[in-house]
Amino acid sequence: MRPRRRILIGLAWLALVFVLAGCSVKRYAINRLGDSLAASGSTYASDNDPDLIEGALPFSLKLIESLLAESPRHQGLLLAAASGFTQYAYAFVQQDADEMEPKDFTEAQRLRTRARNLYLRARDYGLRGLNVRYPGFERALRAESKTAVAAAERRDVPLLYWTAASWGAAISLSKDDPETVADQPLVEAMMDRALVLDESFDHGAIHSFLISYESSRPGAAAEAEQRAVRHFERAMQLSGGNLASPLVSLAEEISVARQNRQEFVSLLNKALEIDVDAKPEFRLANLIMQRRARWLLTQVDELFLE
């Protein structure tokens, strides 16, 4: 081989090595940034300014989506997207819709449609994460939900929880969409499996979800209320009584169903009495739920006949 040709081939191989190395470095940087973003939830969780978080979250969520476009199988980013879009939709879109309804019904409906779409986006990211771990998971879930979720392990609980929570929230806003409502058994299968695998997840978050869900189970029957109360008691134990969400959920779901006005007011006042600084890691969640508690107290005459 002529020396000139050998040099050209060598330079071509060297260029290829640099290109491949550049791709590897870029992927490494994206994954490291993804890891950092996925772990940043604690920074938001301890913040004392919900309005600041409301303004910051859209940028963070779009950045997560941009990184996922480059690294579509990144487990941390997929979980961050599922949890982030769910929490944003509930705290800053659906709650706004509820408060807006007496003043502007059309705008409230627009906000609920937006919340529903955000929940479905969160669900899709959660399902992507589960499909990465278990190829064909969504297809298997739709074919035989209980068999599909039986493969999940304890490490999968965060993805199971946020996928089910976002899906359940979307269903609650889709009463006029039978196709979406028909997915309820899939939500139930995932949440029940998460409960079996790690009932203490996130200080009782699964139990808090089930307080509201029990009455919606197909064939819920008379035991639904008792099951909801048991979930409430366990959620309070696991959170050390430092989270407002179980109190608000029990008031909104069970006290209203019982038409027990006194219990409703008492539970919401207890939620408002929680010191948001006692557990900094719960601060933002408690501020958001206390906002809901205050709003619910303004709705007493609408919710109770006497």
Side-chain angles (χ1 to χ4, degrees), residues 140-259:
L141 181 72
R142 293 186 179 279
E144 181 48 64
S145 59
K146 294 189 185 301
T147 301
V149 300
E153 303 172 1
R154 187 184 177 95
R155 65 172 184 157
D156 303 313
V157 167
L159 270 173
L160 287 171
Y161 173 80
W162 286 111
T163 306
S166 57
W167 207 339
I171 289 171
S172 73
L173 296 178
S174 304
K175 300 305 183 186
D176 59 346
D177 182 356
E179 186 175 345
T180 301
V181 173
D183 289 336
Q184 185 172 328
L186 313 186
V187 172
E188 186 174 309
M190 285 190 291
M191 197 62 80
D192 286 348
R193 179 59 176 164
L195 183 69
V196 169
L197 291 168
D198 185 7
E199 60 116 13
S200 65
F201 168 71
D202 199 13
H203 310 283
I206 300 170
H207 288 286
S208 289
F209 175 90
L210 291 171
I211 294 169
S212 300
Y213 181 77
E214 286 297 347
S215 62
S216 302
R217 283 185 188 270
E223 298 82 27
E225 183 177 305
Q226 287 85 349
R227 290 197 300 269
V229 171
R230 287 197 295 271
H231 287 304
F232 164 76
E233 292 169 349
R234 189 62 179 135
M236 293 297 287
Q237 289 172 352
L238 291 169
S239 67
N242 291 302
L243 278 171
S245 54
L247 294 157
V248 175
S249 293
L250 191 71
E252 198 166 1
E253 184 63 35
I254 302 303
S255 299
V256 173
R258 290 172 173 169
Q259 282 294 285

Side-chain angles (χ1 to χ4, degrees), residues 11-294:
L11 289 173
W13 275 108
L14 186 62
L16 179 60
V17 167
F18 278 120
V19 168
L20 292 176
C23 292
S24 178
V25 169
K26 178 182 178 183
R27 188 176 301 111
Y28 175 78
I30 288 170
N31 286 335
R32 286 299 300 272
L33 179 56
D35 292 340
S36 178
L37 273 174
S40 67
S42 59
T43 303
Y44 287 132
S46 61
D47 203 279
N48 65 356
D49 189 340
D51 291 340
L52 179 65
I53 300 303
E54 181 179 7
L57 264 179
F59 173 79
S60 295
L61 292 170
K62 290 306 297 180
L63 178 57
I64 287 170
E65 289 192 314
S66 297
L67 292 173
L68 277 170
E70 300 292 334
S71 184
R73 296 172 62 84
H74 192 291
Q75 288 283 291
L77 288 172
L78 289 167
L79 175 58
S83 63
F85 277 109
T86 303
Q87 293 173 89
Y88 178 79
Y90 178 79
F92 304 119
V93 184
Q94 187 173 348
Q95 179 62 30
D96 283 355
D98 290 343
E99 294 178 6
M100 177 65 67
E101 186 165 12
K103 309 167 195 173
D104 189 335
F105 180 79
T106 301
E107 176 62 9
Q109 289 299 95
R110 185 192 71 81
L111 288 170
R112 287 199 179 100
T113 298
R114 182 181 178 222
R116 177 183 179 275
N117 290 337
L118 290 169
Y119 287 136
L120 291 174
R121 188 185 299 200
R123 176 206 64 181
D124 290 346
Y125 283 122
L127 287 172
R128 274 177 57 181
L130 290 164
N131 279 324
V132 168
R133 284 188 180 164
Y134 305 99
F137 176 84
E138 182 180 357
R139 184 171 60 254
L141 181 72
R142 293 186 179 279
E144 181 48 64
S145 59
K146 294 189 185 301
T147 301
V149 300
E153 303 172 1
R154 187 184 177 95
R155 65 172 184 157
D156 303 313
V157 167
L159 270 173
L160 287 171
Y161 173 80
W162 286 111
T163 306
S166 57
W167 207 339
I171 289 171
S172 73
L173 296 178
S174 304
K175 300 305 183 186
D176 59 346
D177 182 356
E179 186 175 345
T180 301
V181 173
D183 289 336
Q184 185 172 328
L186 313 186
V187 172
E188 186 174 309
M190 285 190 291
M191 197 62 80
D192 286 348
R193 179 59 176 164
L195 183 69
V196 169
L197 291 168
D198 185 7
E199 60 116 13
S200 65
F201 168 71
D202 199 13
H203 310 283
I206 300 170
H207 288 286
S208 289
F209 175 90
L210 291 171
I211 294 169
S212 300
Y213 181 77
E214 286 297 347
S215 62
S216 302
R217 283 185 188 270
E223 298 82 27
E225 183 177 305
Q226 287 85 349
R227 290 197 300 269
V229 171
R230 287 197 295 271
H231 287 304
F232 164 76
E233 292 169 349
R234 189 62 179 135
M236 293 297 287
Q237 289 172 352
L238 291 169
S239 67
N242 291 302
L243 278 171
S245 54
L247 294 157
V248 175
S249 293
L250 191 71
E252 198 166 1
E253 184 63 35
I254 302 303
S255 299
V256 173
R258 290 172 173 169
Q259 282 294 285
N260 189 331
R261 182 185 185 121
Q262 183 177 354
E263 178 186 67
F264 179 83
V265 172
S266 175
L267 287 167
L268 294 178
N269 281 330
K270 286 179 182 177
L272 293 172
E273 289 166 5
I274 288 176
D275 181 1
V276 298
D277 296 319
K279 288 281 188 180
E281 64 269 33
F282 298 161
R283 187 180 288 127
L284 182 63
N286 278 331
L287 287 169
I288 288 168
M289 294 312 296
Q290 287 179 342
R291 172 191 172 188
R292 186 159 187 87
R294 291 188 188 92

